[in-house]
Amino acid sequence: MPGFHETLFPLDIALGAAGGPERATEIVTTLTGREERNTRLAHSRRRWDAGYGVKSLAQLSGVVAFFEERRGRLHGFRWRDRLDHSSAAPGAAPTPFDQPIGTGDGARMVFALAKTYGGAHAPYVRPIAKPVAGSVRVAVNGAERTAGAHFTADPTSGAVSFLAGHAPPAGASVTAGFLFDVPVRFDTDFLEVNLTAFEAGEIPRIPILEIRI
């Protein structure tokens, strides 16, 4: 993607940030009092304020340098979400059976990583475009495959590509486990820094916004 840098926002600061997913729901109330609800976005969009993670002047200086190198909102970058950065349950290590990513047909070679939320009513399938390099594990019909021998995983796109002779057979379930980052950008071109307020216990506002690639 033009304007995207494959670099991770300082992890010690990101893990102290505040934020989460945002939806865009339109609600119209009829004359009878009933509501009509519709969403304008197929996928949620996450926002964070990284200012909560800044605890020292050294960290603040590092953020300023990172901001300048990204040219403000111009270039995207990787962000590690403390709450949600794994295919597995919180505290558990990823396994190759965590998430369904497709069904083989004997010819299909490429599958896109995804994470499913919920399941009882309307599961949400979230595309995963920035897996952590070396973290992707894959299984076909419950049997783990070997990275480099059976498949490759692109950390810049989330594509899992099976190598020649290893396409999943027709009807075979393909599952994966992984760690992942979120593609984001700064949501401001002005990073206001007030050292007097910072030393008094206040923190700067550093808005971060998820982007689609």
Side-chain angles (χ1 to χ4, degrees):
M1 172 187 177
F4 190 88
H5 294 171
E6 293 289 345
T7 187
L8 186 65
F9 185 87
L11 194 56
D12 58 334
I13 300 173
L15 295 183
E22 176 185 49
R23 290 281 178 174
T25 305
E26 296 176 336
I27 301 176
V28 177
T29 303
T30 67
L31 293 178
T32 63
R34 295 174 62 88
E35 288 185 348
E36 297 291 339
R37 296 183 295 275
N38 185 48
T39 181
R40 294 186 288 107
L41 299 176
H43 299 287
S44 57
R45 196 176 196 187
R46 285 160 173 75
R47 294 178 180 271
W48 295 271
D49 186 346
Y52 290 94
V54 177
K55 305 300 182 185
S56 69
L57 290 178
Q59 289 179 319
L60 184 56
S61 178
V63 170
V64 171
F66 193 91
F67 176 87
E68 290 284 35
E69 189 174 6
R70 307 288 87 72
R71 309 297 195 272
R73 294 184 296 176
L74 184 61
H75 299 294
F77 52 92
R78 285 176 174 258
W79 170 270
R80 186 73 50 83
D81 185 350
R82 181 179 184 181
L83 174 65
D84 189 3
H85 62 271
S86 174
S87 61
T95 77
F97 320 111
D98 290 343
Q99 302 292 328
I101 61 172
T103 302
D105 60 9
R108 181 180 174 187
M109 303 293 284
V110 181
F111 295 77
L113 291 179
K115 182 175 180 179
T116 301
Y117 297 77
H121 301 286
Y124 166 57
V125 180
R126 177 188 181 186
I128 301 298
K130 297 296 179 183
V132 175
S135 74
V136 179
R137 301 176 65 183
V138 173
V140 176
N141 265 355
E144 185 169 8
R145 296 297 189 256
T146 303
H150 301 120
F151 74 92
T152 61
D154 186 349
T156 68
S157 69
V160 172
S161 302
F162 285 89
L163 302 180
H166 297 287
S173 63
V174 183
T175 57
F178 44 83
L179 300 175
F180 65 93
D181 298 321
V182 184
V184 300
R185 63 168 171 80
F186 287 104
D187 197 25
T188 181
D189 277 324
F190 173 48
L191 197 60
E192 183 175 5
V193 178
N194 184 330
L195 293 182
T196 301
F198 180 77
E199 291 173 349
E202 295 184 14
I203 54 179
R205 182 174 177 271
I206 308 171
I208 305 291
L209 178 66
E210 182 178 7
I211 58 178
R212 293 292 165 197
I213 59 173

